[in-house]
Amino acid sequence: MARKMDTKAVERIAKALSDKNRLLILQKIAKQRCLGCTEMHEIVSLAQPTLSHHVKVLVDAGLVDSHKDGRNLNLYLNKETVQELIDFLSQLNQD
């Protein structure tokens, strides 16, 4: 059973999604099953520190999960959080 998302989590996610670069990064991760930071750097034309910052914001918001594989960091869409956000927003349209 999915847990309910609280307003603090929604606020954190909204802030994470308010940047066009983070939206692009999230779209690229969602399109792939798994995307390494090295591959992401080739797709998104951002400096490494900037890319790392944006990925950290997405991870902190719960939208992206990461898994370290040696020196490589693999990124995954957190489908559970995305579904919780969809459920939260769908409740706004009821009544």
Side-chain angles (χ1 to χ4, degrees):
M1 179 171 191
R3 59 186 167 99
K4 286 201 166 205
M5 183 167 280
D6 65 12
T7 54
K8 279 248 187 240
V10 174
E11 181 181 2
R12 192 170 44 251
I13 290 170
K15 285 181 182 179
L17 295 177
S18 68
D19 182 276
K20 67 179 180 178
N21 291 310
R22 289 193 286 269
L23 279 172
L24 176 64
I25 293 166
L26 191 64
Q27 287 175 319
K28 297 298 182 185
I29 293 170
K31 199 171 198 178
Q32 307 283 329
R33 289 193 80 132
C34 171
L35 194 58
C37 276
T38 306
E39 298 166 311
M40 178 62 71
H41 186 66
E42 293 170 3
I43 295 170
V44 181
S45 57
L46 295 172
Q48 171 57 40
T50 305
L51 177 60
S52 293
H53 167 74
H54 288 309
V55 167
K56 182 181 181 331
V57 171
L58 292 169
V59 169
D60 289 348
L63 293 166
V64 172
D65 287 327
S66 63
H67 173 72
K68 196 149 175 122
D69 185 20
R71 295 185 73 193
N72 209 10
L73 186 66
N74 296 314
L75 306 169
Y76 307 88
L77 181 68
N78 185 331
K79 293 181 180 182
E80 184 178 322
T81 299
V82 172
Q83 186 59 54
E84 288 172 11
L85 179 62
I86 290 168
D87 293 344
F88 178 89
L89 295 173
S90 293
Q91 290 176 2
L92 298 176
N93 197 28
Q94 294 177 357
D95 290 335

